[in-house]
Structure formats: structure tokens, C-alpha cells
Amino acid sequence: MTQAMTDKPLVVAGRTLTSRLIIGTGKYASYEQNARALEASGAEMITVALRRVNLSDPSEPRLVDFIDPEKYIFLPNTAGCFTGEDAVRTLRLAREAGGWSLVKLEVLSDPKHLYPDMAETLRAAEMLIREGFDVMVYCSDDPVYARRLEEVGCCAIMPLGAPIGSGLGIQNPVNIRLIIEQSSVPVIVDAGVGTASDATVAMELGCDGVLMNTAIAEAKDPILMASAMKHAVIAGRQSYLAGRMPKKRYADASSPLFGLI
């Protein structure tokens, strides 16, 4: 019998994470609800859309009043950016405001489908890496671009499972698997997860982690869904490490059919 694989921790740019789930800060009813979901999820890293989250205005509720940046890893991202220059400018401001160097880059194309503009994403990644940023990069499920992003120095490759906020689940498992097989940095599915089984599928493919926002924030019970996602990611990782049984064309009885009384 083939022995199961031994797990190793998720390490991103020198930071070791015990949870393989990353959640976001958008679409929640309140920062208080977001904080409760974060706790239920067990996640240690949370994305922060700098254009949409209040971090500094004391006259309005602030994210940092509910989620402690000393306790969790804040991951500034460039949600809503459509050019490389815009994304780079946004993350420069993030570094000035909070000293953050670990960032999530996304450069979008069409507002209708929100697929990443891969040429602009690659160009922006090169600029950010030259400036000393550790770049976790949101990308299409294209193994060619994924390889190029790793070659320029991105510290994590984050292919979409489906369009942002769609909840359609993993639409192209073949390409996701190809990206995993060729990558020497963590591969984290980002976007498209809708429910716990989607997260499990991503992990069973061999992904190092899953990033999600809408699946939790727009659930009828975000706190319960956050807990479900925590367990789904753990189950999917354990299933991947255990090694699934081979698929067969015909039935194979669990008990032997010979020697029956």
C-alpha cells in the first residue's frame, strides 16, 4: 500500500500559517460581523481592499477597531484597479500607511466578468517586486502566465476558480492541477468558491490554500459558513494527503466474494 504524504506547513514569504484559509473584508453587514466570521474561520490572514475599507477615519467605524492587525496578518489588495500604475500606487500608499510589504496584487480587465488583465498584472508584479514588495498575485487559471509570474518573483500564485463573486466553484480543475504541479511557491485558489464542497475540491487538487470572501459574507449565516469553510479546507487537505482510491469502471465489493458460506 502506498504511504500517505507527510504534510508541511504553508509558508508565504517567510510567514508560516497554520490555517490554509484566507478570508476577505468585503460585503459583510458590519465590521463586527466580519470579525466574528474571521474568528469562526480560524484564518490568520485577511485581505483588505484599501479603497473600500476604512482604516484611519476615527469618525466612522474602522476595521482595526474590530480586527487587530497585531493578531492577524493584514493583506492589502488592489481590488478595483484596472491598470498596473493604479495597482502600484495603491500598494505604495498601503506601505506608507501601515508598513505592509506582503500584498495581494490584482489588476482587472472588464468590469462585467472581472477576469484579471494578465499583461498588466505581470507588468505590475515586476514593478512591485523591484520595489521590495512580497507579491501574492491573483491570476487567471493559465499555466503559462502562472509560470511567468513565479519567474519574476511572486511569492504565491493565486489562480481563480471561477469569476469573482460568482460562487460557481472550480471550473477548470485540469489547469489548476497543472499550475500546482509546475509551481515551487504556494498555489492558493482565489475567487469563485461558493460553498464548502468547492473549498474541499480545491484542496483535494493539491492547492496550498483557498481565499474567499463572498461565499462567507453573502451566506445566510456568515458565521456558520465561516466555520464550515474552516472544516472543508481541513478535510480537503487531509483527503489530498491521504490519497484517494482509484476510480474504477465496475463495482468492487468491499467484502470478498469467495469463501462464502
Side-chain angles (χ1 to χ4, degrees):
M1 181 179 292
T2 303
Q3 188 174 2
M5 290 180 285
T6 302
D7 204 4
K8 55 185 178 180
L10 172 57
V11 180
V12 180
R15 299 161 175 83
T16 300
L17 303 174
T18 58
S19 172
R20 295 178 181 272
L21 175 60
I22 304 168
I23 75 166
T25 50
K27 302 182 179 179
Y28 286 92
S30 65
Y31 290 144
E32 187 271 339
Q33 185 188 65
N34 196 170
R36 290 174 59 210
L38 176 58
E39 183 176 4
S41 75
E44 299 158 274
M45 181 181 288
I46 185 164
T47 63
V48 180
L50 295 168
R51 294 180 161 200
R52 300 170 184 161
V53 169
N54 178 31
L55 293 171
S56 57
D57 183 359
S59 66
E60 298 288 339
R62 298 180 304 174
L63 179 68
V64 293
D65 295 330
F66 296 88
I67 299 174
D68 185 356
E70 297 299 320
K71 182 178 178 182
Y72 296 98
I73 298 173
F74 276 34
L75 183 66
N77 70 26
T78 56
C81 291
F82 288 84
T83 68
E85 282 75 15
D86 204 9
V88 170
R89 186 183 311 111
T90 298
L91 294 177
R92 284 172 179 162
L93 291 172
R95 184 159 62 182
E96 291 176 10
W100 294 298
S101 61
L102 179 64
V103 297
K104 176 191 165 186
L105 171 65
E106 58 182 77
V107 183
L108 305 176
S109 53
D110 191 310
K112 182 177 181 178
H113 56 63
L114 297 179
Y115 266 77
D117 182 326
M118 292 311 303
E120 282 292 283
T121 297
L122 181 61
R123 193 168 67 86
E126 291 174 319
M127 289 189 284
L128 289 166
I129 289 163
R130 282 197 299 268
E131 294 188 17
F133 285 94
D134 295 315
V135 179
M136 301 173 67
V137 60
Y138 169 67
C139 59
S140 63
D141 55 2
D142 179 345
V144 178
Y145 261 113
R147 186 188 296 278
R148 294 187 67 187
L149 289 165
E150 181 176 350
E151 287 172 347
V152 302
C154 291
C155 65
I157 305 300
M158 307 175 77
L160 56 83
I164 291 172
S166 68
L168 291 172
I170 309 301
Q171 295 295 294
N172 196 343
V174 173
N175 277 20
I176 298 292
R177 185 65 198 166
L178 288 172
I179 292 170
I180 293 166
E181 290 176 355
Q182 75 183 18
S183 299
S184 58
V185 298
V187 175
I188 299 169
V189 160
D190 179 4
V193 169
T195 191
S197 57
D198 298 332
T200 301
V201 167
M203 297 305 296
E204 286 181 336
L205 287 171
C207 290
D208 295 283
V210 180
L211 191 155
M212 66 184 71
N213 183 72
T214 308
I216 297 176
E218 291 194 350
K220 292 181 179 179
D221 186 334
I223 314 308
L224 187 58
M225 183 62 81
S227 177
M229 292 299 187
K230 171 184 176 179
H231 295 293
V233 167
I234 293 170
R237 182 65 178 180
Q238 290 180 344
S239 178
Y240 167 71
L241 293 170
R244 66 156 292 143
M245 61 167 282
K247 293 182 179 180
K248 303 170 185 176
R249 293 179 62 192
Y250 304 105
D252 185 2
S254 298
S255 301
L257 298 178
F258 57 86
L260 299 178
I261 297 174

